[in-house]
Amino acid sequence: MAIESSVIFLPCGDIAATHDFYTRIVGLRQVQEQAGGTLRIYDTGYGYWGFCQYPDERPALSGDKGVCLSLNCADEADVDRFYEKVTALGARVLAAPAMQERFPVYSFFIEDPSGYKVEFQKILLPGQELTGGRR
């Protein structure tokens, strides 16, 4: 027995806008479409995110008490490169690249069409110092 991968399913308000955001702005690859296009699954590299526009219009798990979807980058320079890319494409920025106060993470945050907070981050290992980035 072995677990081969994981997928997290999240409700969204507009599957077309969500698809555009995650493929064009974030750069994820759609790997599956179901339910007449109202459910789409994207490859994040080490797992999958699925978004579903439910017929009962259930709310997104977003806002201050909602989930944060984090993507891990190779280094701080990649965090900065992603920031330049997504801002040039018009993403709504919630926080510019910075070292986080609470966790050893260099990251920035944007918001998707349903209000989910999306983070691009480099997690620093114990004893590791910030090597680049905007600080």
Side-chain angles (χ1 to χ4, degrees):
M1 283 190 326
I3 295 173
E4 159 179 306
S5 66
S6 67
V7 62
I8 296 170
F9 290 99
L10 299 162
C12 69
D14 181 340
I15 195 67
T18 298
H19 176 73
D20 179 66
F21 177 84
Y22 285 100
T23 56
R24 186 177 63 82
I25 294 177
V26 176
L28 299 183
R29 182 176 61 88
Q30 178 184 305
V31 294
Q32 198 171 116
E33 182 177 308
Q34 301 175 12
T38 60
L39 185 146
R40 297 180 184 199
I41 300 172
Y42 303 90
D43 186 348
T44 65
Y46 287 96
Y48 301 90
W49 293 346
F51 294 92
C52 186
Q53 184 175 332
Y54 292 96
D56 64 3
E57 299 181 5
R58 67 186 69 177
L61 307 171
S62 59
D64 290 340
K65 296 187 179 187
V67 299
C68 177
L69 305 172
S70 294
L71 295 163
N72 296 312
C73 298
D75 54 32
E76 303 95 312
D78 265 355
V79 172
D80 291 338
R81 282 189 282 274
F82 272 109
Y83 180 75
E84 296 301 325
K85 174 193 170 200
V86 303
T87 55
L89 292 171
R92 181 170 183 266
V93 175
L94 300 176
M99 190 64 197
Q100 301 304 312
E101 291 182 30
R102 187 169 176 199
F103 302 105
V105 173
Y106 180 74
S107 68
F108 73 90
F109 298 89
I110 58 176
E111 185 176 81
D112 89 349
S114 294
Y116 289 110
K117 184 186 291 187
V118 179
E119 177 184 34
F120 288 78
Q121 68 178 358
K122 170 58 182 165
I123 299 171
L124 303 175
L125 301 174
Q128 188 178 26
E129 293 184 18
L130 190 65
T131 60
R134 299 171 190 269
R135 296 183 197 206

